[in-house]
Amino acid sequence: MAKNAFYAQSGGVTAVINTTACGVIETARKHKNKIGKVYAGRNGIIGALREELIDTSKESAANIAALKYTPSGAFGSCRYKLKSLEQHRAAYERLIEVFKAHDIGYFFYNGGGDSADTCLKISQLSKTMGYPIQAIHVPKTVDNDLPFTDNCPGFGSVAKYVAVSTKEAALDVASMCETSTRVFILEVMGRHAGWIAAAGALAQEKDGDAPHIILFPEIAFDKQKFLQKVKETVTKKGYCVIVASEGAQYADGTFLADAGTTDAFGHKQLGGVAPTLATLIKQELGYKYHWALADYLQRAARHIASKTDVEQAYAVGKKAVEFALQGKNAVMPTIVRAKGKKYRWSIGEAPLEKIANVEKFMPRKFISADGFQITKACRDYLQPLIQGEDHPPYKNGVPIHAKLKNVLVKKKIKADFKI
Amino acid sequence: MAKNAFYAQSGGVTAVINTTACGVIETARKHKNKIGKVYAGRNGIIGALREELIDTSKESAANIAALKYTPSGAFGSCRYKLKSLEQHRAAYERLIEVFKAHDIGYFFYNGGGDSADTCLKISQLSKTMGYPIQAIHVPKTVDNDLPFTDNCPGFGSVAKYVAVSTKEAALDVASMCETSTRVFILEVMGRHAGWIAAAGALAQEKDGDAPHIILFPEIAFDKQKFLQKVKETVTKKGYCVIVASEGAQYADGTFLADAGTTDAFGHKQLGGVAPTLATLIKQELGYKYHWALADYLQRAARHIASKTDVEQAYAVGKKAVEFALQGKNAVMPTIVRAKGKKYRWSIGEAPLEKIANVEKFMPRKFISADGFQITKACRDYLQPLIQGEDHPPYKNGVPIHAKLKNVLVKKKIKADFKI
């Protein structure tokens, strides 16, 4: 008898996480002898805790296919971290209880480092509790900070958004700088890893092109050196374009913009590097500035997604199901880059115990000696990830998105679970 | 003997002002018997004052054609307002001197209300100084605030950017709201007129869809009413998406975010409505928020330009040259909407004395009774303007842009002119 599957989206969503969902569901539908229904967690893992399971078998093939070009999390995501088995035992046991009640034998968890950790714990608990679950983690994060995989689905599209936006905005300031704006700052995501900021450099066709300064979390912010570089650039070029990571920080680890609030994972809520830098530049150098803060626009921008990213996002979802069919457990599909000049990739495999809670920062050799640019090695790494366009269909001038029915399965457990 | 033409870009640039330049240059090239060379002002009108004229005849046909998909001002723009003939007499006389020295008989000024005024003055001065100039104003402004024309080239593309970005980001917050972000605010341009903010409503497919609140400069901001609406929306929908115009203001005319600085036109430099609103919401209602400030990204976003806008931008440039060839003076090509259900447009004509320094605000009947939405009349007006996609060509994952040589013509006047 085929076991059912449970799929959940975790943490910050991306332009292509639904593409991965599509890969999971379409592949599972091809193996109905082994996988019964795919249930999706309403709002991620808390959908399992609350026994709010979306029956994806109620969705048409066309609607599931439309997930390929629908950004964000179509079933809802959440920021809810399960702590250690000791601290959160009741929650883990509830998960197993819900899985048991709905005959779920496969757990696909689509997220970043935190959810890889949860996925691993569920796999471990399944053994100790004697209820068999194959737990497969499916990578997703715009931050590109998962280890073992060459890159993370979701990153390529945000990288493309940042490269395209930087290239376009740089032309704007270049045309205004003679009498108006001298400095333009684009603030991008990346709390601890500078991958997204680094992607700004893909706007450059040659040395000296905008962006003239990139601020990475990995490089301690040096005010004097920064102001000197801004001044030099404006003197030489007439204007200066800066891409700043939200995680840009001083040598002592203080963020340039610390809003003072934290999310459910205990991460600081950031925002405001760009205005901080703009004020500094105005005060110290007197230049007129403009700044933009892309925030959700960057990770939701499916309209400018990378074709490579879309393909990889689908492939990891498909492979996750294939791993499950092969009897694998506590693993994650990875993207493997082949050796050689031409970019080629395939899907590999990594064990969860090596992935959980490990963050991959930019290697120092990917950042130029002065700390303001990327190196050729970094460019060679990043360039293929934004390759290709995958324009969504449009209606009335805006992209069409999947509209799921999201029908909930009837609850089988009487007791509620308090989140 | 054919007279030369002078073309200049003025004020804030757009995704399609170069498309208009392409329309001017390509059309002029077809009438070499009447129009000699097209000189473009380096950095707009100050290029004429400094006698820095770019010889566009040095550019290949392919490069001029590439202007169609290159955002920003390829010859440079400027924020430099010529005041009255009495106050700025020397500057106007210098312009005539430069035009005379380079045998320029046609003046094409591509800008908004301020430049329409300059264009008119040059036409007037040309008569009193006895040197014949045909001065044609070519409309351009993302603000959509020029009178007589049904809409302004540049607006349709920023409107499409705002509609698409709002639709995508709304999906993001919808998927996160159960445990995280409740309120998302997108701040958009529009100092005095709410046209750009209104375009956010084109993300809606039906009543109640995001954006749930739009803040227009035309409607006085009422803090209590606003907070009440945010609370109601979060209670009902789980989240709330807000599109706020940078020009949102209190009943007494104070901007919600007044940076305290002014540009060369005496306009206040704004920015920061979104963080102001976010802080207010956090303090009064306690909701977690995210906000984005699109700034230059919105008006430079050629990658998501409206096909309708691109076509109209080209058409006004072409028609400006045709007007010149017909001997017209002190006029502006306008976009005329035909009556009837299906959207059809043609190019009309308006005299500059009626256009200069008149701002077109949103009519009250375009804004809902509660002041937070657009009406059906407004939707019927806006919808066609974002219709169609015109994807630029890409290379290495980013759009290709024209790379002009921008060769300057040898100066003929000894005296410099101090800007």
Side-chain angles (χ1 to χ4, degrees):
Chain A
M1 177 63 188
K3 288 271 185 185
N4 296 317
F6 176 75
Y7 165 83
Q9 302 179 319
S10 175
V13 293
T14 79
V16 299
I17 185 172
N18 286 331
T19 309
T20 298
C22 177
V24 167
I25 296 167
E26 288 189 344
T27 310
R29 285 185 177 189
K30 284 178 187 155
H31 297 90
K32 291 199 174 160
N33 58 327
K34 290 215 173 172
I35 301 178
K37 288 186 172 183
V38 177
Y39 297 133
R42 183 178 177 184
N43 300 310
I45 195 73
I46 63 176
L49 291 167
R50 289 174 175 163
E51 205 192 356
E52 293 180 344
L53 309 181
I54 293 164
D55 185 353
T56 69
S57 75
K58 305 286 187 194
E59 310 293 343
S60 68
N63 237 347
I64 295 300
L67 288 174
K68 259 185 232 165
Y69 47 78
T70 303
S72 94
F75 308 108
S77 184
C78 68
R79 295 203 179 275
Y80 180 81
K81 185 177 164 72
L82 281 154
K83 295 179 188 149
S84 69
L85 286 171
E86 293 70 35
Q87 286 175 281
H88 253 154
R89 181 120 205 140
Y92 287 100
E93 287 179 355
R94 169 76 175 189
L95 288 176
I96 301 288
E97 186 189 10
V98 171
F99 292 166
K100 211 177 215 169
H102 293 276
D103 204 22
I104 289 163
Y106 309 99
F107 174 51
F108 299 107
Y109 204 22
N110 201 175
D114 288 325
S115 58
D117 179 58
T118 301
C119 198
L120 175 62
K121 292 211 179 79
I122 286 170
S123 156
Q124 291 164 343
L125 190 68
S126 144
K127 279 173 200 148
T128 62
M129 286 184 66
Y131 181 79
I133 289 278
Q134 285 172 250
I136 316 279
H137 187 252
V138 201
K140 168 248 51 165
T141 167
V142 293
D143 291 328
N144 201 38
D145 59 358
L146 287 171
F148 292 94
T149 185
D150 183 65
N151 59 292
C152 301
F155 171 68
S157 292
V158 75
K160 189 179 183 93
Y161 173 93
V162 170
V164 172
S165 298
T166 301
K167 191 166 194 268
E168 291 179 332
L171 289 176
D172 195 310
V173 59
S175 68
M176 301 304 296
C177 69
E178 182 64 20
T179 56
S180 181
T181 307
R182 293 287 194 169
V183 176
F184 176 75
I185 307 161
L186 172 61
E187 175 171 342
V188 300
M189 287 179 165
R191 194 171 272 108
H192 299 127
W195 297 108
I196 297 176
L202 300 179
Q204 297 161 344
E205 291 176 34
K206 56 179 194 314
D207 279 358
D209 282 357
H212 309 100
I213 297 176
I214 302 173
L215 297 181
F216 306 94
E218 288 90 346
I219 302 292
F221 180 72
D222 179 331
K223 194 171 98 172
Q224 287 317 319
K225 203 174 142 195
F226 169 75
L227 287 169
Q228 183 58 31
K229 181 73 183 170
V230 173
K231 197 178 167 187
E232 267 173 35
T233 308
V234 172
T235 305
K236 194 173 165 190
K237 304 267 178 186
Y239 67 103
C240 180
V241 174
I242 300 162
V243 176
S245 171
E246 63 177 345
Q249 53 196 269
Y250 294 100
D252 67 358
T254 314
F255 289 115
L256 264 72
D258 184 347
T261 50
T262 54
D263 71 10
F265 292 108
H267 301 150
K268 288 192 169 176
Q269 188 173 358
L270 302 181
V273 172
T276 303
L277 293 171
T279 306
L280 179 66
I281 289 166
K282 181 75 185 172
Q283 281 172 351
E284 300 287 326
L285 303 172
Y287 297 136
K288 190 181 168 196
Y289 59 80
H290 264 252
W291 56 271
L293 199 155
D295 195 68
Y296 282 176
L297 305 192
Q298 71 200 287
R299 73 181 196 193
R302 179 61 184 81
H303 76 272
I304 187 72
S306 152
K307 187 162 192 278
T308 303
D309 191 32
V310 172
E311 289 170 355
Q312 292 177 342
Y314 189 89
V316 293
K318 178 168 180 278
K319 185 62 90 176
V321 174
E322 289 168 358
F323 281 170
L325 294 170
Q326 290 162 18
K328 296 186 191 233
N329 198 348
V331 294
M332 179 183 92
T334 58
I335 296 161
V336 180
R337 186 185 296 234
K339 291 217 158 84
K341 225 176 165 185
K342 191 175 148 49
Y343 179 67
R344 285 173 302 117
W345 59 274
S346 58
I347 301 294
E349 173 186 343
L352 287 190
E353 69 254 30
K354 290 196 176 172
I355 289 164
N357 293 317
V358 178
E359 265 181 302
K360 185 172 75 176
F361 302 106
M362 285 183 71
R364 187 58 185 87
K365 66 170 183 177
F366 272 18
I367 301 172
S368 64
D370 70 359
F372 292 138
Q373 292 292 339
I374 63 168
T375 58
K376 184 180 178 299
C378 185
R379 190 175 298 277
D380 289 347
Y381 167 76
L382 291 173
Q383 188 66 67
L385 307 181
I386 68 163
Q387 210 62 38
E389 292 68 54
D390 191 52
H391 304 299
Y394 284 75
K395 191 184 167 187
N396 291 329
V398 292
I400 298 170
H401 297 133
K403 270 195 251 331
L404 302 185
K405 289 184 282 186
N406 282 353
V407 179
L408 291 183
V409 175
K410 198 166 180 283
K411 291 193 182 188
K412 298 191 173 181
I413 305 173
K414 280 200 178 139
D416 278 343
F417 185 85
K418 182 87 187 149
I419 298 297
Chain B
M1 176 66 185
K3 289 271 185 185
N4 297 317
F6 176 76
Y7 166 83
Q9 301 178 319
S10 176
V13 292
T14 79
V16 299
I17 184 171
N18 286 329
T19 309
T20 298
C22 177
V24 167
I25 296 167
E26 289 189 344
T27 310
R29 285 185 177 190
K30 283 179 188 153
H31 297 91
K32 291 197 175 161
N33 58 326
K34 290 217 173 171
I35 301 178
K37 289 185 172 184
V38 177
Y39 297 133
R42 184 179 177 184
N43 299 311
I45 196 73
I46 64 175
L49 290 167
R50 288 173 176 164
E51 205 192 355
E52 292 179 345
L53 309 180
I54 293 164
D55 185 353
T56 69
S57 75
K58 305 286 188 193
E59 310 292 345
S60 68
N63 237 347
I64 294 300
L67 288 174
K68 259 184 232 166
Y69 47 79
T70 303
S72 92
F75 308 107
S77 184
C78 68
R79 295 202 178 275
Y80 179 82
K81 186 176 162 74
L82 281 154
K83 294 180 188 149
S84 70
L85 286 170
E86 293 69 36
Q87 285 175 282
H88 253 154
R89 181 119 205 142
Y92 287 101
E93 287 179 356
R94 168 76 175 190
L95 287 177
I96 300 289
E97 187 189 10
V98 170
F99 292 166
K100 212 177 214 170
H102 294 276
D103 204 22
I104 289 163
Y106 310 100
F107 174 51
F108 300 107
Y109 204 22
N110 201 175
D114 288 324
S115 57
D117 180 57
T118 301
C119 198
L120 176 63
K121 292 208 177 81
I122 286 169
S123 157
Q124 291 164 343
L125 190 67
S126 144
K127 280 174 199 146
T128 62
M129 286 184 66
Y131 181 79
I133 290 277
Q134 284 172 251
I136 317 279
H137 187 253
V138 201
K140 168 247 51 163
T141 168
V142 293
D143 292 329
N144 201 39
D145 59 359
L146 286 172
F148 292 94
T149 184
D150 183 65
N151 59 291
C152 302
F155 170 67
S157 292
V158 75
K160 189 179 183 92
Y161 174 93
V162 170
V164 172
S165 299
T166 301
K167 190 165 193 271
E168 290 179 333
L171 288 175
D172 195 310
V173 60
S175 68
M176 300 304 296
C177 68
E178 182 65 21
T179 56
S180 182
T181 306
R182 292 288 194 170
V183 176
F184 176 75
I185 306 161
L186 172 61
E187 174 171 342
V188 300
M189 287 179 164
R191 194 171 272 110
H192 300 128
W195 296 108
I196 297 176
L202 300 179
Q204 298 161 342
E205 290 176 35
K206 57 180 194 312
D207 277 358
D209 281 357
H212 309 99
I213 297 176
I214 302 173
L215 297 181
F216 306 93
E218 289 89 347
I219 302 291
F221 180 72
D222 178 333
K223 194 170 96 171
Q224 287 316 318
K225 202 174 144 196
F226 169 76
L227 287 169
Q228 183 58 32
K229 181 73 182 172
V230 173
K231 197 177 167 186
E232 268 173 33
T233 308
V234 171
T235 305
K236 193 173 166 191
K237 304 267 177 185
Y239 66 103
C240 179
V241 174
I242 300 161
V243 176
S245 171
E246 63 177 345
Q249 52 196 269
Y250 294 100
D252 67 358
T254 314
F255 289 115
L256 264 70
D258 184 347
T261 51
T262 54
D263 70 10
F265 291 110
H267 301 149
K268 289 192 172 180
Q269 188 174 358
L270 301 181
V273 171
T276 302
L277 293 170
T279 306
L280 180 66
I281 289 165
K282 181 75 185 173
Q283 282 172 350
E284 301 287 326
L285 304 172
Y287 298 136
K288 191 180 167 196
Y289 59 81
H290 264 253
W291 55 271
L293 199 155
D295 195 67
Y296 281 177
L297 304 193
Q298 70 199 288
R299 73 181 196 193
R302 179 61 184 82
H303 76 272
I304 187 70
S306 151
K307 188 162 192 278
T308 304
D309 192 31
V310 171
E311 289 170 354
Q312 292 176 343
Y314 189 89
V316 292
K318 178 169 180 278
K319 185 62 91 177
V321 173
E322 290 167 358
F323 281 170
L325 294 170
Q326 291 162 19
K328 297 186 191 232
N329 198 348
V331 294
M332 179 182 92
T334 58
I335 297 161
V336 180
R337 185 185 296 234
K339 291 218 157 85
K341 227 177 166 185
K342 191 174 150 49
Y343 179 67
R344 285 174 302 118
W345 58 273
S346 58
I347 302 294
E349 174 185 342
L352 287 189
E353 70 255 28
K354 290 197 177 175
I355 289 164
N357 294 316
V358 178
E359 265 180 301
K360 184 172 75 176
F361 302 106
M362 285 183 72
R364 187 61 185 82
K365 66 169 183 177
F366 272 18
I367 301 172
S368 64
D370 70 0
F372 291 138
Q373 291 293 339
I374 64 169
T375 58
K376 184 180 177 299
C378 184
R379 191 175 298 277
D380 290 346
Y381 167 75
L382 291 173
Q383 188 66 67
L385 307 182
I386 68 163
Q387 209 62 37
E389 293 68 55
D390 191 51
H391 304 300
Y394 284 74
K395 191 184 167 188
N396 291 328
V398 292
I400 298 171
H401 298 133
K403 271 196 250 330
L404 302 186
K405 290 185 281 184
N406 282 352
V407 179
L408 291 183
V409 175
K410 198 164 180 286
K411 291 194 181 189
K412 297 190 175 183
I413 305 171
K414 280 201 177 140
D416 277 344
F417 185 85
K418 183 86 186 150
I419 297 297

